Amino acid sequence: MLHYALMLVGTGSLVAAGPCDLYANGGTPCIAAHSTTRALYNSFSGALYQVKRGSDNTTTNISPLSAGGVANAGAQDTFCARTTCLISIIYDQSGRGNHLTQAPPGGFKGPEANGYDNLASAIGAPVTLNGQKAYGVFSPPGTGYRNNAVSGSAKGDQAEGMYAVLDGTHYNSGCCYDYGNAETNSLDTGNGHMEAIYFGDSTYWGSGTGSGPWLMADLENGLFTGRNPKNNPAPSISYRFFTTILKGGPNLWALRGGNAASGTLSTYFSGARPTPSGYNPMSKEGAIIFGIGGDNSVSAQGTFYEGVVTSGYPSDATENAVQANIVAAGYATASLTSGDSFTVGSSISLRATTSGYTDRYLAHTGATVNTQVVSSSSATSLKQQAMWTVRAGLANSGCVSFESRDQPGSFIRHYDFVLKVNANDGSKAFREDATFCPQAGLNGQGSSIRAWGYPTRWIRHFDNVGYVGSNGGVKTFDNARAFGDDVSFVVGSGFA
Ligand SMILES: *[C@@H]1O[C@H](CO)[C@@H](O)[C@H](O)[C@H]1NC(C)=O
């Protein structure tokens, strides 16, 4: 397959080509190219993304290790050591300056105090590309990026193409995990005013076969897998790495997809525009959204590694070459944890490290998670309230879950960012809310334990109650003061 990643240049010699070199070669150049994992042009060596750290609010740019190469994740790890980091800008590699930044409020308001959306954690989606570490963008609900003043994008009924490589196992039914063309005023301005990749298992507008998740086209006020919203052959997806493709021009559009780690693309739909009014001709406006709907709907979740928007309707052959390039990039999973080993099946205690609270352990009283002073002379019942059995993560076996010692079948989970001990109801939401990823303690002691589904949020004690807190934010328990200490716990083997 290597020949697909090569391109003939003027002299007749073959050079390696990135996805945007392939699109340009096909006559449909990228007008925006976004990735936190790698350069999307063979010659690109500029900044891929910017991270902002919690300790002093300073930023740094992360670039490829070499032109055309994989992101320098080590530079991020050094910059973010022992603090928290957010992805503050995803740069456009096309040279047009179509960068993605924190999405402003629209028809829907984001969760920040000013109505903006949250920024994504810089560490929520570690991967390797041919063995080299990089980070994708893990977006919980409430997270969004946008550019409402894009240069060169399709307007009206003009043709465009786009692809995105996503985590096919991270999704929900909220509206809307999108990447692509949308309204320039962050409002729903009507049918046909968007043309964006959607991924998730919403069935409110459209769906494919099985129970999802599906690749769909968000064309505003409709998610489509074909001419009509439902009863189309679009497959349910279970690829860990999923190549998604949407393209659209005058009364013609297509959805294509495939396993981003091997093999070729399938065409899920190709044909005329949807039958409801407003979608033919289209009224595209040309903004670019990422992780949200056109009106800034912020209920969806997903993970993104790379994506582009093109000018013109790419040929299937060009897209097939891009898919071969993506496969050759060698996406694979990476460890979500670091530091202390949390051995599945073991019984542990978690002792606070905040000065003045170091005799307190993470415990529970009924459903309430709190900290309590526990010692070897404490009653057995109290000791057991402060002991947890480590289980493989209910939503992701690369992380862990904490089963109550004295209430087997009940687990620590977060709900509205407050920790609870609740019985496992088996739902996808419960499993996700009960999965936590430990890493070396942010204050240099023990471990800090982030929420798998909200990697900006960490198990924190605040006024002796348990939360998942972020390092600065709108909730009282997001207070940045003593954050590193409040989220660092010494892991013990229980009580004698
Ligand atoms: C970072 O900026 C936020 C928002 O402006 C502010 O509340 C916080 O105190 C700053 N943190 C530091 C460490 O300067």
Side-chain angles (χ1 to χ4, degrees), residues 54-57:
S55 53
D56 59 5
N57 280 338

Side-chain angles (χ1 to χ4, degrees), residues 64-382:
L65 287 161
S66 60
V70 175
N72 186 352
Q76 175 183 310
D77 290 341
T78 300
F79 183 76
C80 301
R82 289 181 53 173
T83 185
T84 54
C85 264
L86 302 173
I87 295 173
S88 37
I89 302 174
I90 303 167
Y91 292 110
D92 169 25
Q93 302 175 30
S94 79
R96 290 179 170 272
N98 292 327
H99 312 310
L100 296 173
T101 58
Q102 188 169 21
F108 285 82
K109 307 278 181 277
E112 294 273 26
N114 58 5
Y116 273 61
D117 297 350
N118 287 324
L119 295 170
S121 166
I123 60 166
V127 286
T128 58
L129 279 74
N130 288 324
Q132 288 179 299
K133 187 178 179 185
Y135 292 99
V137 187
F138 186 108
S139 294
T143 308
Y145 297 78
R146 191 168 194 128
N147 185 324
N148 279 341
V150 171
S151 154
S153 53
K155 310 280 196 324
D157 211 27
Q158 289 175 344
E160 66 178 348
M162 62 193 75
Y163 85 86
V165 177
L166 308 176
D167 180 342
T169 67
H170 184 211
Y171 60 90
N172 69 8
S173 60
C175 177
C176 287
Y177 189 77
D178 288 353
Y179 175 76
N181 192 321
E183 292 94 339
T184 52
N185 63 0
S186 302
L187 302 174
D188 175 355
T189 51
N191 296 3
H193 285 247
M194 292 180 59
E195 185 166 69
I197 287 165
Y198 165 87
F199 180 65
D201 67 348
S202 170
T203 56
Y204 185 79
W205 291 279
S207 59
T209 61
S211 57
W214 304 281
L215 167 63
M216 298 194 265
D218 189 342
L219 305 180
E220 190 55 281
N221 303 316
L223 299 176
F224 291 92
T225 51
R227 290 206 75 190
N228 297 299
K230 304 194 184 193
N231 302 315
N232 299 301
S236 292
I237 298 302
S238 58
Y239 304 127
R240 173 61 177 77
F241 297 100
F242 180 31
T243 304
T244 62
I245 287 182
L246 168 64
K247 52 186 169 181
N251 202 20
L252 176 65
W253 67 291
L255 287 169
R256 308 181 74 209
N259 183 347
S262 74
T264 56
L265 297 172
S266 299
T267 298
Y268 303 151
F269 174 81
S270 178
R273 288 290 183 181
T275 51
S277 68
Y279 300 110
N280 183 33
M282 294 286 283
S283 305
K284 291 176 245 187
E285 298 191 18
I288 297 179
I289 52 169
F290 168 41
I292 49 179
D295 59 357
N296 197 47
S297 297
V298 288
S299 301
Q301 64 186 27
T303 294
F304 171 100
Y305 302 103
E306 60 179 74
V308 311
V309 178
T310 73
S311 173
Y313 197 87
S315 68
D316 284 3
T318 294
E319 291 164 348
N320 294 345
V322 169
Q323 162 67 4
N325 173 278
I326 293 165
V327 170
Y331 276 97
T333 57
S335 174
L336 287 158
T337 64
S338 68
D340 295 320
S341 61
F342 284 67
T343 307
V344 171
S346 67
S347 191
I348 64 163
S349 59
L350 295 166
R351 182 177 63 75
T353 63
T354 308
S355 176
Y357 299 85
T358 57
D359 56 352
R360 303 187 76 95
Y361 291 79
L362 196 72
H364 76 105
T365 304
T368 301
V369 174
N370 50 27
T371 61
Q372 298 194 50
V373 178
V374 190
S375 70
S376 58
S377 57
S378 297
T380 300
S381 58
L382 178 58

Side-chain angles (χ1 to χ4, degrees), residues 369-452:
V369 174
N370 50 27
T371 61
Q372 298 194 50
V373 178
V374 190
S375 70
S376 58
S377 57
S378 297
T380 300
S381 58
L382 178 58
K383 291 176 180 173
Q384 294 204 342
Q385 287 165 14
M387 289 175 64
W388 309 98
T389 305
V390 178
R391 300 296 183 198
L394 295 176
N396 187 315
S397 60
C399 293
V400 296
S401 293
F402 300 105
E403 187 175 9
S404 167
R405 176 66 177 269
D406 60 349
Q407 284 183 24
S410 290
F411 292 80
I412 299 178
R413 60 88 59 94
H414 58 88
Y415 191 90
D416 283 343
F417 309 130
V418 180
L419 292 181
K420 300 283 180 193
V421 169
N422 286 160
N424 181 3
D425 65 10
S427 67
K428 179 170 175 283
F430 184 94
R431 285 184 273 117
E432 294 182 351
D433 292 349
T435 299
F436 297 92
C437 307
Q439 70 179 66
L442 289 191
N443 72 351
Q445 298 180 60
S447 286
S448 294
I449 304 165
R450 68 179 188 273
W452 171 81

Side-chain angles (χ1 to χ4, degrees), residues 52-58 471-473 480:
K52 180 179 179 181
R53 68 183 174 196
S55 53
D56 59 5
N57 280 338
T58 61
N471 190 6

